[in-house]
Amino acid sequence: MALAQQDIIIFLGPPGAGKGSLSRLCIEHLGWQQISTGNLLRHHIAQGTELGQAVQRVIAAGQLVSDELVTQLVEDWLRRPVQEQSAVQPVILDGFPRTVSQARLLHNFLAREQGRFTVTVVHLAISSEILLERLSNRIVCSEKNCQTVYSLRADTRLTPRVTGICDLCNNELIRRADDELHAVRQRLDLYQQHEEELLQYFKAVGKPVVAVPVDQELTMVFNALQEQLRERVV
Ligand code: AMP
């Protein structure tokens, strides 16, 4: 039996661009799925797996873990059994690929899957000043299966209902180790080094790239995303 085709939507944007929050809206309102390599890795760290222990220091320092390792996590997810109804819903790649080498590994994997997946790249564009401001106010749910993102600022869409507590699961909100200032700078520099190369790579291999400005309110970003993808994603 031929497998149904699945759309892969790559969110290409720096840390703090709102990839996680935008993914959450796509999951809640459109029934999409999300693979966040950062969340998967943090999950391994929280569970103390061998993989988690191997990547813990690298992540806390704001550096990148190996291309092969993260690509394997993504491939395992995409290859999982597909009986469930949701299996063919579009899937967002959040935080992957981060380097051209990862993009190549993904490209080779998709080629081996012979057209089972289509890829659209969504470039989430934002200025560095706004990013630093967002990241310095970011707090996340400490529950490893939740990891929902909130803001320390009052009266924003991401402000929790009760200070310091997750709206969804009532667990404590914490700062991520890699949101401390020097790790943030390191992550933004790293991201910028790779972004241009990635955009050129996607264009060279003929993947459609659409731009969505994310220096606006989250629901506006969500609307702009749907508008851009209307004709591409079924
Ligand atoms: P994120 O939650 O996407 O900001 O990822 C948090 C951290 O996990 C990054 O700073 C990296 O250390 C690691 N990480 C996540 N995704 C990748 C990736 N695609 N390649 C390498 N490292 C990654």
Side-chain angles (χ1 to χ4, degrees):
M1 187 185 77
L3 293 170
Q5 206 177 41
Q6 181 165 30
D7 289 304
I8 293 178
I9 315 293
I10 295 176
F11 278 0
L12 180 66
K19 299 187 293 290
S21 305
L22 189 57
S23 298
R24 208 171 98 200
L25 287 185
C26 294
I27 294 166
E28 283 171 11
H29 297 282
L30 307 174
W32 291 6
Q33 310 174 83
Q34 174 205 27
I35 308 174
S36 157
T37 43
N39 285 356
L40 288 175
L41 292 165
R42 281 186 292 276
H43 196 145
H44 274 278
I45 293 173
Q47 290 198 315
T49 65
E50 204 176 315
L51 189 154
Q53 287 171 21
V55 299
Q56 189 159 18
R57 285 224 190 110
V58 179
I59 291 184
Q63 291 159 359
L64 293 181
V65 307
S66 92
D67 292 329
E68 288 71 20
L69 193 153
V70 275
T71 308
Q72 194 59 52
L73 286 178
V74 173
E75 288 187 12
D76 289 346
W77 195 99
L78 290 171
R79 256 207 228 104
R80 81 214 184 291
V82 289
Q83 305 90 322
E84 320 105 72
Q85 180 65 31
S86 62
V88 291
Q89 286 288 54
V91 58
I92 296 164
L93 291 188
D94 165 355
F96 177 92
R98 277 237 208 342
T99 63
V100 169
S101 160
Q102 291 175 17
R104 278 209 190 91
L105 291 168
L106 176 70
H107 186 73
N108 295 342
F109 166 75
L110 298 178
R112 291 196 297 277
E113 295 292 308
Q114 300 179 333
R116 229 191 92 206
F117 299 96
T118 67
V119 173
T120 304
V121 180
V122 177
H123 180 209
L124 304 170
I126 185 165
S127 75
S128 305
E129 296 83 70
I130 297 180
L131 278 181
L132 282 171
E133 202 269 334
R134 277 193 192 174
L135 288 169
S136 59
N137 282 301
R138 178 158 82 171
I139 41 175
V140 297
C141 177
S142 54
E143 213 297 303
K144 59 185 183 304
N145 291 313
C146 182
Q147 300 192 33
T148 301
V149 173
Y150 294 90
S151 174
L152 281 170
R153 283 171 42 210
D155 302 325
T156 73
R157 201 176 181 283
L158 297 179
T159 308
R161 281 197 290 272
V162 178
T163 306
I165 301 292
C166 179
D167 292 353
L168 303 180
C169 67
N170 287 325
N171 279 292
E172 190 194 357
L173 302 178
I174 52 167
R175 274 184 75 71
R176 280 171 44 172
D178 59 354
D179 278 347
E180 298 310 328
L181 196 61
H182 96 274
V184 164
R185 291 233 163 86
Q186 164 94 12
R187 286 159 66 215
L188 289 181
D189 283 353
L190 254 181
Y191 174 80
Q192 268 144 13
Q193 277 170 33
H194 292 290
E195 182 186 78
E196 193 49 42
E197 274 176 30
L198 275 168
L199 284 170
Q200 280 173 12
Y201 175 80
F202 289 130
K203 285 178 188 158
V205 294
K207 300 298 176 211
V209 177
V210 299
V212 174
V214 287
D215 48 2
Q216 51 183 337
E217 216 270 310
L218 186 59
T219 40
M220 312 255 293
V221 177
F222 182 53
N223 292 342
L225 173 76
Q226 288 182 88
E227 193 58 43
Q228 287 280 14
L229 295 181
R230 186 148 291 149
E231 267 143 46
R232 297 180 187 280
V233 177
V234 280

